[in-house]
Amino acid sequence: MTISSFIVSAEVAAALAAGRPVVALESTIISHGLPRPRNHGAALEFERMLRDAGVTPATIAVLDGVPNIGLDDEGVRRIAEDDLAKASVRDLPLLAASGASGATTVAATAHLASLASIRVFATGGLGGVHRGASTTFDESADLGTLARTPVTVVSAGVKSVLDIAATLERLESLSVPVVGYRTTVFPSFWLTESAFSIDWSVDTPAEVAAIMRAQDALGHGQGIIVANPIPRELQWDPVEHDRVLLEALSAADVAGISGKAVTPFLLGYIVEASEGRSLEVNLDLARNNVRLAGEIATAWASLSADLA
Ligand code: PSU
Ligand code: MN
């Protein structure tokens, strides 16, 4: 008996076979990172933005045990409306064996994207090292996965709820390149900047494609993080940001939240405490990442065609 380990939608398979640009999109941001009902509209909007730019979207989730690379409208509805498990890489075999469904994190989405030979992926913010990780060991599997998964992830840095300095240190240890898009300051998700600088910056999608090509040629198997800051005029008010952030961290502490529940708890708390203002910023930065990922995938497709 042959069991197919994953399904690539006809639309995505056709685009890949023809060498047309494809961008992977994660489902945890939809199921656990954004509140209903805005999450459903956001999932559809990200897909539409890519199609309008001539890029094929591949939203990824596990449905009834099967990793799906590219969802139909019903699949998108399910990740937005059903109560799906949050699935990282280690959960994939368990979902598969039990026939359960799950929304994939950055780690699981990147892993599945690379199985399907998709090279570019847009998210909101990457997971990272949590504050207090020196005692809790809470470090997102996103980091370790990118150390062995050749996918370029466009993200607005990492959320300021994390330990940004430790996250950047870990990425250095794991040999994952971090490239600022038109900046040398690492962004902090809702804010254009953080206190941390990055060594490398590029100005065009073609430069990112060239880095991908060079990495392949050097035999590296890791991913690349493109840090794409939200434009300053769209960022969250830094004063409100700092206040709500401290509140959220102490609420998580008081409620005894740990493990994979931490990130969804903090995001939900912050949306409520900011009366939705952080949500608008979250959507804007995600759109900004989807747009750039589409441009990078397009540059990658044309570079690959030139070299073929
Ligand atoms: N950043 C967001 N929204 C999210 C996440 C990150 O703005 O929903 C999700 C991503 O799926 C990321 C995951 O991979 O949180 C990281 O969770 P953890 O810290 O439990 O690894
Ligand atoms: Mn964690």
Side-chain angles (χ1 to χ4, degrees), residues 26 28-29 33 86 105-106 125 130 140 142 159 189 263 267:
E26 62 152 319
T28 291
I29 184 177
K86 174 178 164 186
T105 62
V106 168
H130 284 260
S140 177
D142 293 355
K159 286 179 296 296
F189 197 68
T263 299
L267 286 171

Side-chain angles (χ1 to χ4, degrees), residues 104-268:
T104 48
T105 62
V106 168
T109 306
H111 177 77
L112 293 170
S114 87
L115 285 184
S117 303
I118 297 172
R119 296 296 302 268
V120 183
F121 169 19
T123 183
L126 189 70
V129 179
H130 284 260
R131 297 181 190 212
S134 60
T135 51
T136 64
F137 282 68
D138 190 354
E139 171 183 327
S140 177
D142 293 355
L143 303 187
T145 300
L146 286 178
R148 54 185 151 75
T149 310
V151 169
T152 296
V153 182
V154 182
S155 109
V158 298
K159 286 179 296 296
S160 36
V161 299
L162 300 173
D163 183 335
I164 299 177
T167 302
L168 290 170
E169 290 294 346
R170 287 290 293 146
L171 288 168
E172 180 180 354
S173 308
L174 292 165
S175 303
V176 177
V178 179
V179 184
Y181 194 72
R182 299 181 180 163
T183 185
T184 52
V185 179
F186 195 64
S188 57
F189 197 68
W190 299 282
L191 300 181
T192 306
E193 296 190 339
S194 70
F196 305 96
S197 58
I198 33 187
D199 293 341
W200 299 95
S201 165
V202 294
D203 293 317
T204 64
E207 286 171 86
V208 179
I211 295 167
M212 292 165 66
R213 172 62 65 192
Q215 195 185 39
D216 285 359
L218 290 164
H220 294 205
Q222 65 273 75
I224 296 170
I225 294 170
V226 177
N228 186 33
I230 186 167
R232 199 173 299 277
E233 63 277 13
L234 295 177
Q235 76 170 351
W236 194 5
D237 169 29
V239 174
E240 185 177 44
H241 165 273
D242 293 354
R243 176 176 61 74
V244 171
L245 182 68
L246 290 178
E247 264 177 51
L249 290 166
S250 94
D253 206 29
V254 168
I257 307 293
S258 65
K260 69 200 252 185
V262 171
T263 299
F265 176 90
L266 291 171
L267 286 171

